[in-house]
Amino acid sequence: MSPILYKLAKKALFQLDPERAHTLTLSSLRAAENMNILSTLMGPPENDPIEIMGLQFPNRVGLAAGMDKEANCVDAFGRIGFGFVEVGTLTPKAQPGNPKPRVHRCIPQQAIINYMGINNPGIVEGMENLSARKSFRGVVGVNISKNTSTANEDARADYLYGLRAAWSYADYIAINFSCPNVKNLCNLLQAAPAADLLASLKSEQANLSTETGRYVPLVMKISPDMGEGQIRELSKVFIDCQLDGLICTNTTTTRGGVEGHPAAQHSGGMSGKPLYDKSTEVLAAFASELGGSIPIIGVGGINSPEDAVGKLKAGASLVQLYSGFIYQGPNLVRESVRAMRAYTESQG
Ligand SMILES: Cc1cc2nc3c(=O)[nH]c(=O)nc-3n(C[C@H](O)[C@H](O)[C@H](O)COP(=O)(O)O)c2cc1C
């Protein structure tokens, strides 16, 4: 996409409230895709095919969860060049999320603070939207969580419901215990509840696999707000239960790098450039504990192609973008694919 065109679009969109800008961007992308304009604007996608978790990824750059919550823009994001798109987070029942305004930009720091609270139309509608996609040939992940009104003690039923509902539509299913905007959700990232819930989910995965003759990898999305002990204990749990993949990381409740910005006082998870180091350190710590036994998708603060390569160096096999895509625009996708391809080729 022409950098001038993107600059103009960004200037206009950044005049709007962030959530409104997001809705408008998605509806414009959908319209452009339906009118066949996006492929002309964007040109052919960059390829760097790789097999991870038994899935064929056309390249290593994915769209992180939360951008296409309703799963109705997958074709458009494919045209932009993403090799995989993770839709959701979706919960069993539709829910409105937290009161607005709930998304804030910290522009000088290229960060976002969001307190969305997993607003979504429910997994059944999400899967209907997803199945209406036409052109996307990449990998689709479906990110699932429990409803906010469901207590942690009853979370198992919600996650199992999500797993069953997503099974036939997803190439992989991402389990979200790490959203900081749902009260107490991250408590499920303690080793004991995580082991308990993952055992049920892995068992249901085996049942569904036998029933349908198709294996859908289960991937866990974790928080960057963890100490060494928790990382060590969780790594053991993930290895023991034969988790298929890990996504490092979600947003942080800390405010390092945005101190003093008026938006820093709002509740919510921070993403974007200031998250990069923290998120990459957690990724490197998991990579070291897991010793290559579980593939890792690196996400958090990627704002340049060099940042994407940095995630590979820390131990990731794939990356995802969210805030960097907003601040840097669609060219970040292709540039990151090219940079990672050059890096992996240089490594032989
Ligand atoms: C507005 C917004 C909404 C998000 N919603 C979700 C979500 O529904 N589920 C999820 O797993 N992550 C969600 N995320 C987190 C992103 O997927 C990603 O993990 C995080 O933003 C870090 O990446 P980044 O620094 O590139 O943005 C959201 C992030 C933002 C900024």
Side-chain angles (χ1 to χ4, degrees):
M1 183 188 211
S2 135
I4 295 173
L5 194 60
Y6 170 68
K7 261 192 180 161
L8 285 173
K10 181 176 167 185
K11 200 164 181 201
L13 287 167
F14 272 45
Q15 307 293 318
L16 302 175
D17 158 75
E19 198 169 340
R20 216 176 115 50
H22 179 255
T23 314
L24 187 64
T25 304
L26 259 57
S27 52
S28 308
L29 283 176
R30 245 190 340 267
E33 168 61 9
N34 290 340
M35 291 187 286
N36 248 327
I37 299 171
L38 263 189
S39 50
T40 317
L41 262 182
M42 300 303 308
E46 286 285 338
N47 289 319
D48 179 21
I50 179 165
E51 184 182 323
I52 307 277
M53 303 186 289
L55 303 171
Q56 305 295 331
F57 290 78
N59 66 52
R60 293 176 192 261
V61 180
L63 180 71
M67 181 77 78
D68 190 8
K69 283 179 188 286
E70 302 190 4
N72 53 21
C73 280
V74 174
D75 288 334
F77 285 114
R79 296 280 186 215
I80 286 171
F82 287 103
F84 64 112
V85 173
E86 190 172 308
V87 302
T89 296
L90 291 156
T91 55
K93 286 179 278 179
Q95 61 180 30
N98 292 323
K100 295 178 186 173
R102 52 194 179 179
V103 188
H104 309 275
R105 302 183 189 101
C106 303
I107 296 176
Q109 296 84 357
Q110 312 219 349
I112 297 172
I113 292 170
N114 95 80
Y115 192 53
M116 300 288 273
I118 316 193
N119 53 303
N120 78 99
I123 193 150
V124 172
E125 187 174 323
M127 294 306 91
E128 273 167 22
N129 294 342
L130 183 58
S131 58
R133 74 187 182 281
K134 296 191 182 105
S135 61
F136 187 62
R137 297 283 169 266
V139 168
V140 175
V142 177
N143 183 305
I144 60 169
S145 193
K146 70 173 187 73
N147 277 110
T148 303
S149 57
T150 304
N152 277 1
E153 297 67 46
D154 304 320
R156 187 186 326 270
D158 276 18
Y159 283 103
L160 287 172
Y161 182 96
L163 181 65
R164 290 185 202 111
W167 188 266
S168 312
Y169 304 94
D171 294 314
Y172 72 83
I173 295 173
I175 303 154
N176 183 356
F177 289 177
S178 54
C179 175
N181 303 325
V182 174
K183 200 168 169 223
N184 296 333
L185 183 66
C186 290
N187 292 352
L188 297 178
L189 278 175
Q190 296 300 325
D196 183 39
L197 282 170
L198 280 175
S200 299
L201 288 163
K202 287 295 289 184
S203 159
E204 187 60 11
Q205 178 195 39
N207 294 339
L208 288 167
S209 215
T210 312
E211 250 171 56
T212 61
R214 182 171 164 262
Y215 186 82
V216 180
L218 278 190
V219 174
M220 174 76 129
K221 183 160 181 179
I222 51 115
S223 157
D225 300 326
M226 292 192 196
E228 277 173 28
Q230 195 178 357
I231 292 174
R232 218 172 16 251
E233 285 177 21
L234 274 178
S235 297
K236 280 201 202 100
V237 169
F238 296 157
I239 291 170
D240 286 350
C241 79
Q242 298 184 312
L243 187 70
D244 300 288
L246 202 61
I247 304 176
C248 296
T249 64
N250 213 314
T251 55
T252 176
T253 55
T254 62
R255 292 291 181 264
V258 296
E259 302 94 337
H261 191 285
Q265 73 204 12
H266 290 288
S267 301
M270 181 182 74
S271 58
K273 203 172 177 185
L275 172 62
Y276 185 79
D277 287 347
K278 187 178 177 69
S279 171
T280 309
E281 277 161 27
V282 169
L283 157 55
F286 269 107
S288 148
E289 291 292 332
L290 298 171
S293 57
I294 298 177
I296 302 180
I297 302 174
V299 51
I302 298 175
N303 212 38
S304 69
E306 294 74 29
D307 291 341
V309 171
K311 296 284 185 189
L312 295 191
K313 288 182 180 164
S317 306
L318 303 164
V319 301
Q320 289 177 327
L321 310 178
Y322 194 122
S323 307
F325 178 69
I326 292 172
Y327 282 107
Q328 302 302 327
N331 288 349
L332 179 60
V333 181
R334 280 147 213 261
E335 287 165 9
S336 297
V337 174
R338 282 199 287 269
M340 288 192 287
R341 188 173 56 209
Y343 171 72
T344 49
E345 282 170 3
S346 74
Q347 299 299 296

